[in-house]
Amino acid sequence: MFVPAIKGQGTEEQQKKWLPMAYKFQIIGCYAQTELGHGSNVQGLETTATFDPSTDEFVMHSPTLTSSKWWPGGLGKASTHAVVYARLITEGKDYGIHGFIVQLRSLDDHSPLPGVTLGDIGGKFGSGAYNSMDNGVLRFDHVRIPRDQMLMRLSQVTREGKYVHSDVPKQLLYGTMVYVRQTIVADASKALSRAVCIAVRYSAIRKQFGSQDGGPETQVLNYKTQQSRLFPLLASAYAYRFVGQWLKWLYTDVNQKLEAKDYSTLPEAHACTAGLKSVTTSATADAIEECRKLCGGHGYLNSSGLPELFAVYVPACTYEGDNVVLLLQVARFLMKTVSQVAAGKQPVGTIAYMGNIQHLMQCKSAVNTAEDWLNPAAIKEVFEARALRMAVNCAQNISKAPSQEEGFSELSPDLLEAAVAHVQLIIVT
């Protein structure tokens, strides 16, 4: 995250200065955004960066215990530098969250610099698992950095302390986010594939029950109960792999559009990647545990590979955005899209199906027999109709509430289901 942040938010000069050092490991960087008190709510971060025009410096400070940076990987023991997200204050005004490159440790003896308190936050879930990662805590006591260490591609502070927006739109931040979430979805496919591979092989080798006349016992894989639990997970492993590959294409497409100053598909790309990150990581974490149970008592042994895989994987459900919060962001996008479709706007990309609203709201399923499920077009229409009807139903119910925000809050469980249905349609497609 250190390098993509500088690529996405640093000026050309900043990139030329910092990226070669990072690539050569002359410096070791981390990404210090999450705090003890705030994670998903980035706008609520408390760390401050106050500009001092008398010295042309920013003063980085942690005013409260909850403003301690908490969780950044590589921070606890390794990192010499961090991209720190803090509230930019200049001329007495708070301009919200911005990124700053801050040196944390000496390049001579690796000791923390004056005013910097940092360390490892301690043991985490599992015995091995993610404990090889030095997730850290960081606090600043009026630490000064040069003004040019503010990431200034999207906005600047002048020598006099004036805050200036650049003509580069802040939507460029989406490119980095799409890249990170695409990687997370690809990782979900790999983790799920591993778990399913272990469970399928075990189920093929393990024999138990079934013989009444002294003959061989039945392979566990031949029991319908085992198949009904295991085969959908096998299918999902393939689906997540394909959707991960598609996200790589989406990332390239988003970047090309950004370079051409076309920002029209960004909200859809954001909702798509947020939803896929949420659904694939939650499903994979649950699936690894299911695979452990599918291997009976042996699945609990470390030698099965499943306990360690589970412990290593489950953080994915809460990093880069809590999964429920991400799905609610998808739901907001869906509600906005429904209102735009009602106003005559034609949806594109992963929400293009909403343009077929009249047909999908009324059509009856063409899937009635087992053979019908072999028709991809019929399956897709079923998923489209379900996703659209759930979204429209939520939008109608929100419109009856005293206010939009009150309606959204009250109907959040229904909105989560509508968001999941939309994401599942993307995966099926």
Side-chain angles (χ1 to χ4, degrees):
M1 290 295 288
F2 181 76
V3 166
I6 295 173
K7 276 185 175 178
Q9 298 162 52
T11 61
E12 280 189 38
E13 292 82 1
Q14 289 174 322
Q15 291 182 41
K16 283 176 185 171
K17 176 180 177 180
W18 295 100
L19 291 179
M21 290 191 285
Y23 288 138
K24 294 174 186 172
F25 288 98
Q26 292 168 333
I27 62 173
I28 301 172
C30 68
Y31 183 86
Q33 177 174 295
T34 297
E35 294 176 357
L36 187 58
H38 293 91
S40 295
N41 180 15
V42 176
Q43 298 310 312
L45 297 179
E46 299 174 88
T47 303
T48 56
T50 307
F51 184 64
D52 180 357
S54 67
T55 59
D56 197 26
E57 293 173 317
F58 282 102
V59 182
M60 310 297 296
H61 186 57
S62 307
T64 61
L65 178 66
T66 49
S67 68
S68 306
K69 293 299 177 184
W70 192 266
W71 277 115
L75 170 64
K77 298 181 176 71
S79 293
T80 61
H81 289 68
V83 169
V84 177
Y85 287 85
R87 313 196 74 82
L88 190 160
I89 299 169
T90 185
E91 297 184 320
K93 186 175 177 184
D94 184 336
Y95 285 93
I97 306 303
H98 292 70
F100 302 83
I101 301 173
V102 186
Q103 184 171 348
L104 309 176
R105 291 179 168 98
S106 164
L107 296 180
D108 296 323
D109 63 5
H110 207 62
S111 60
L113 296 182
V116 176
T117 302
L118 74 177
D120 194 299
I121 59 175
K124 299 170 283 285
F125 184 86
S127 54
Y130 219 69
N131 283 300
S132 58
M133 174 63 75
D134 57 327
N135 297 94
V137 55
L138 168 65
R139 297 201 71 191
F140 296 110
D141 183 4
H142 299 93
V143 173
R144 291 177 172 269
I145 63 168
R147 177 173 57 90
D148 65 7
Q149 284 179 216
M150 169 189 169
L151 292 174
M152 292 200 188
R153 187 178 182 188
L154 306 180
S155 53
Q156 298 89 34
V157 171
T158 67
R159 176 65 185 85
E160 297 72 35
K162 295 285 180 202
Y163 181 82
V164 182
H165 280 293
S166 79
D167 56 0
V168 177
K170 66 179 182 180
Q171 286 98 324
L172 281 174
L173 292 173
Y174 282 108
T176 305
M177 193 163 51
V178 171
Y179 169 76
V180 172
R181 289 178 180 165
Q182 168 253 308
T183 306
I184 292 172
V185 173
D187 287 346
S189 159
K190 291 174 192 168
L192 180 52
S193 298
R194 281 183 182 177
V196 169
C197 184
I198 294 166
V200 168
R201 287 177 174 179
Y202 176 85
S203 301
I205 297 301
R206 178 73 162 179
K207 295 182 174 69
Q208 198 153 238
F209 300 118
S211 173
Q212 303 295 327
D213 54 4
E217 291 185 282
T218 303
Q219 280 177 292
V220 172
L221 189 60
N222 284 336
Y223 288 107
K224 293 292 183 187
T225 49
Q226 193 82 349
Q227 293 176 10
S228 65
R229 293 162 67 193
L230 185 54
F231 290 176
L233 305 184
L234 174 62
S236 296
Y238 279 99
Y240 296 172
R241 174 158 185 170
F242 297 141
V243 86
Q245 290 172 341
W246 172 73
L247 273 181
K248 285 184 182 176
W249 168 84
L250 182 71
Y251 171 63
T252 305
D253 184 62
V254 165
N255 272 356
Q256 286 173 348
K257 283 187 166 71
L258 288 173
E259 293 298 324
K261 293 188 164 58
D262 176 3
Y263 312 114
S264 59
T265 61
L266 277 175
E268 184 237 341
H270 172 245
C272 173
T273 53
L276 284 168
K277 182 271 173 184
S278 177
V279 167
T280 59
T281 56
S282 290
T284 297
D286 291 343
I288 296 169
E289 169 62 5
E290 184 71 357
C291 286
R292 183 190 68 77
K293 290 184 281 193
L294 284 162
C295 294
H298 296 305
Y300 195 64
L301 277 172
N302 276 336
S303 58
S304 74
L306 292 166
E308 185 76 358
L309 179 59
F310 182 75
V312 168
Y313 188 75
V314 286
C317 295
T318 43
Y319 61 57
E320 225 285 297
D322 171 79
N323 280 350
V324 168
V325 175
L326 288 176
L327 283 176
L328 288 173
Q329 290 176 8
V330 176
R332 282 193 185 278
F333 169 74
L334 292 177
M335 295 304 97
K336 189 175 179 181
T337 302
V338 169
S339 66
Q340 289 173 339
V341 168
K345 185 177 178 182
Q346 190 64 28
V348 296
T350 55
I351 48 164
Y353 69 98
M354 288 194 173
N356 199 18
I357 187 166
Q358 289 189 317
H359 170 71
L360 292 174
M361 289 298 289
Q362 297 170 356
C363 67
K364 291 211 165 68
S365 173
V367 181
N368 299 308
T369 68
E371 285 71 27
D372 291 339
W373 282 109
L374 298 176
N375 178 0
I379 297 171
K380 188 162 173 272
E381 186 177 79
V382 168
F383 275 84
E384 287 175 345
R386 179 183 68 146
L388 182 65
R389 291 176 193 188
M390 291 173 81
V392 168
N393 187 49
C394 285
Q396 288 172 341
N397 288 334
I398 287 174
S399 69
K400 297 171 189 171
S403 72
Q404 195 171 14
E405 276 308 305
E406 206 174 316
F408 197 91
S409 176
E410 192 63 32
L411 288 159
S412 53
D414 294 343
L415 286 159
L416 285 179
E417 290 185 3
V420 169
H422 170 69
V423 177
Q424 288 175 340
L425 166 62
I426 295 172
I427 295 168
V428 166
T429 304

